[in-house]
Amino acid sequence: MPAVGWGIMPLITGKIGGSTINQTFGIGAGATIIGLLAFFGAQLSGNPGAVVVSARGFWISVICGALWSTGQIGQFVSFKRMGVSNTIPLSTVFQLIGNSLIGVIIFGEWHSTTARLIGFGALIIVIIGALMTSVTDESSGKRVTVKNFFFLLVTTFGYWVYSAFPKIPWLKDEKSLGIFLPEMIGILIGAVIYTFVSGNAKAFKQREQYLNILGGLSWGIAALAYIFAGRALGVNVAFVFTQMNVVIATIGGVLVLHEHKTRREMGYTVVGIILIVAGSILTAFAH
């Protein structure tokens, strides 16, 4: 579910258009709606305890959500600079490397030698695949430049914090549904702060500001599923599996958003996607 939801999101926002402000706010608002639906759904189902959260858990969740906005803003800016089909694969590589190191070093995942060999071997396969899908020719309209590369890398920090979120020790005793709504509220707060700090308050009068909520709904469903997956499978396995969203986003960037790729680029993209899927499946054996 995270792979599908996060893969469709950039296609929705790309089709709707609008500024980075519009798209970031749309994700925050749509995700908060999903958070509210999950909260009230638990209340109506007679299981209100599922959404209980401590004060500490609430504020940590809000902060993690706000930091996620940094990563998403960087990604939306990169969509416009490099295109969706180039940005998503590179973003995948940066997130995979950071999250794998966090999972192994901080959370002690892939603790055996065999698990680490399989896990990092699979990770290398996925990274090679993602890099292959971002190969660009001189004739392409939107290219991966050094400046664009490092901008995306720096802003990915917000994603690293978000991906480690389900396994943070301070939240280990919190309910999955309980931490979900405050996290989504944090994303919305981060988007609103970015809107005003960047001097774009007029965006609230723009139609695209609210149409992009559709992309946020897709993202929010994926985020809810990721919390459960991250806790059940561990950050490394769950996250690598979610990165199969690159398959949907990359192919969709070409077919739905009509981003140009030469025959050579498309050949690299197809082989890269095959490697990403193979590597993602291989991580399931890294226990």
Side-chain angles (χ1 to χ4, degrees):
M1 288 179 66
V4 173
W6 288 339
I8 292 175
M9 181 275 289
L11 303 182
I12 296 175
T13 57
K15 204 69 176 175
I16 292 172
S19 65
T20 299
I21 300 289
N22 299 147
Q23 294 171 330
T24 305
F25 173 82
I27 297 300
T32 300
I33 290 173
I34 296 299
L36 289 169
L37 290 175
F39 177 83
F40 289 115
Q43 297 286 345
L44 295 174
S45 67
N47 187 25
V51 291
V52 171
V53 62
S54 67
R56 182 178 70 173
F58 178 89
W59 289 112
I60 291 176
S61 301
V62 169
I63 292 171
C64 287
L67 287 173
W68 174 91
S69 297
T70 302
Q72 190 58 61
I73 289 167
Q75 198 174 83
F76 278 138
V77 170
S78 298
F79 286 164
K80 297 183 183 301
R81 292 179 178 179
M82 301 187 291
V84 170
S85 58
N86 288 328
T87 299
I88 291 295
L90 275 181
S91 180
T92 296
V93 170
F94 298 152
Q95 292 178 66
L96 282 169
I97 293 174
N99 289 324
S100 295
L101 292 176
I102 289 172
V104 172
I105 297 173
I106 298 179
F107 299 132
E109 297 176 3
W110 295 349
H111 52 276
S112 70
T113 302
T114 301
R116 290 186 179 183
L117 286 173
I118 295 175
F120 282 112
L123 180 63
I124 291 172
I125 292 174
V126 174
I127 289 173
I128 292 173
L131 288 174
M132 289 183 72
T133 63
S134 66
V135 169
T136 56
D137 291 332
E138 291 293 329
S139 59
S140 297
K142 295 183 178 180
R143 300 180 56 239
V144 181
T145 64
V146 173
K147 178 182 177 181
N148 293 340
F149 180 94
F150 281 104
F151 173 80
L152 184 61
L153 174 61
V154 171
T155 55
T156 300
F157 169 78
Y159 281 150
W160 292 338
V161 175
Y162 167 78
S163 298
F165 170 71
K167 296 278 285 187
I168 291 177
W170 298 313
L171 300 176
K172 66 178 181 179
D173 296 323
E174 303 287 354
K175 303 289 186 181
S176 295
L177 282 178
I179 60 178
F180 180 66
L181 178 57
E183 183 192 19
M184 298 304 102
I185 292 174
I187 290 173
L188 181 58
I189 291 173
V192 171
I193 290 175
Y194 175 62
T195 300
F196 285 105
V197 169
S198 60
N200 288 285
K202 62 182 181 181
F204 288 104
K205 297 180 181 180
Q206 297 171 345
R207 182 167 172 264
E208 291 82 3
Q209 185 88 340
Y210 305 100
L211 286 178
N212 274 293
I213 289 176
L214 293 174
L217 296 175
S218 173
W219 191 92
I221 293 171
L224 177 59
Y226 176 71
I227 289 179
F228 288 95
R231 289 186 159 186
L233 302 174
V235 170
N236 279 338
V237 175
F239 185 77
V240 173
F241 260 101
T242 67
Q243 292 312 288
M244 283 199 283
N245 74 78
V246 72
V247 178
I248 298 173
T250 303
I251 295 177
V254 175
L255 299 181
V256 179
L257 302 181
H258 307 296
E259 295 178 349
H260 174 70
K261 276 188 177 291
T262 64
R263 178 176 293 184
R264 173 177 172 273
E265 289 173 341
M266 203 63 209
Y268 274 106
T269 295
V270 171
V271 175
I273 286 173
I274 293 173
L275 291 176
I276 289 169
V277 174
S280 297
I281 293 173
L282 185 60
T283 60
F285 299 96
H287 293 292

